[in-house]
Amino acid sequence: MGASKNPHDDISEVLLDEAKIAARVKVLGAEITAAYPGNDELVLVSVLKGSLVFVGDLMRAIDRNVRIDVMEVSSYGGGNTESSGTVRILKDLSGTIEGRDVLIVEDIIDTGITLNYLTNYLAGKSPRSVKIVTLLSKPARRVVEIPVEWMGFEIPDKFVVGYGLDFAERYRNLTCIGVLKTEKQKA
């Protein structure tokens, strides 16, 4: 069953509305600013495609010089809602991170497999530090525990879309984060 013409019609429950997300992103930006008091540029590594909206809002809430780079990493395939457990880098960094402070910007931590792989991969590129900020954490599904310095919201084990998160490349444009109706979770 495909997506409805209006993506809001496919949401069974709004978990986080636009105002709540914006307020939390502002707080995260202030906390990150305080954690990096030096003059060195902070490298934000956005994990495509889901974190694009989050990194855009977050970088404007950080009061210091930042550089943006992107990576595309996948452990999902097609319209699957479950991780395959195999991580692939589809797009690597464009610039060097050697000797720099790196902040991985993730949309959601589910099993932790992808982010664990990515953290180790980036650490191998000799940065000064690698830390993580995630908008959402779903601890009920965690397989690999990873240190997360900043987290927006902890959510229940429900399939969510919106604010950059998708299902089959749909729903990213929703300004809220909502639970996708079960019947819409089929490609």
Side-chain angles (χ1 to χ4, degrees), residues 28-29 31-45 58-59 62-69 97 100-105 128-131 133 150:
L28 290 171
E31 290 175 359
I32 291 165
T33 299
Y36 295 97
N39 292 325
D40 292 340
E41 198 173 57
L42 176 62
V43 180
L44 304 179
V45 175
L58 182 65
M59 71 179 179
I62 297 173
D63 190 21
R64 62 167 299 115
N65 287 320
V66 297
R67 189 181 88 193
I68 303 290
D69 209 333
I97 58 169
R100 298 176 185 254
D101 290 314
V102 174
L103 182 60
I104 300 172
V105 182
R128 179 182 305 137
S129 68
V130 177
K131 295 184 178 178
V133 58
W150 295 279

Side-chain angles (χ1 to χ4, degrees), residues 30-89:
E31 290 175 359
I32 291 165
T33 299
Y36 295 97
N39 292 325
D40 292 340
E41 198 173 57
L42 176 62
V43 180
L44 304 179
V45 175
S46 175
V47 182
L48 295 177
K49 300 177 192 170
S51 70
L52 278 175
V53 176
F54 180 40
V55 77
D57 288 345
L58 182 65
M59 71 179 179
R60 289 189 300 268
I62 297 173
D63 190 21
R64 62 167 299 115
N65 287 320
V66 297
R67 189 181 88 193
I68 303 290
D69 209 333
V70 297
M71 291 187 74
E72 189 170 5
V73 183
S74 178
S75 66
Y76 295 84
N80 291 336
T81 60
E82 296 292 326
S83 174
S84 69
T86 302
V87 179
R88 298 177 332 180
I89 294 177

Side-chain angles (χ1 to χ4, degrees), residues 87-160:
V87 179
R88 298 177 332 180
I89 294 177
L90 305 176
K91 190 226 173 284
D92 206 342
L93 296 173
S94 299
T96 183
I97 58 169
E98 184 175 349
R100 298 176 185 254
D101 290 314
V102 174
L103 182 60
I104 300 172
V105 182
E106 181 65 289
D107 55 353
I108 186 168
I109 301 175
D110 195 35
T111 63
I113 293 170
T114 301
L115 204 50
N116 183 61
Y117 177 89
L118 185 58
T119 301
N120 290 328
Y121 177 79
L122 293 177
K125 293 182 175 283
S126 304
R128 179 182 305 137
S129 68
V130 177
K131 295 184 178 178
I132 298 166
V133 58
T134 186
L135 180 64
L136 304 174
S137 177
K138 198 184 290 187
R141 303 213 1 111
R142 197 81 74 242
V143 173
V144 178
E145 289 302 325
I146 49 174
V148 176
E149 280 71 23
W150 295 279
M151 178 181 60
F153 304 94
E154 189 172 293
I155 63 169
D157 188 12
K158 297 181 178 183
F159 192 83
V160 294

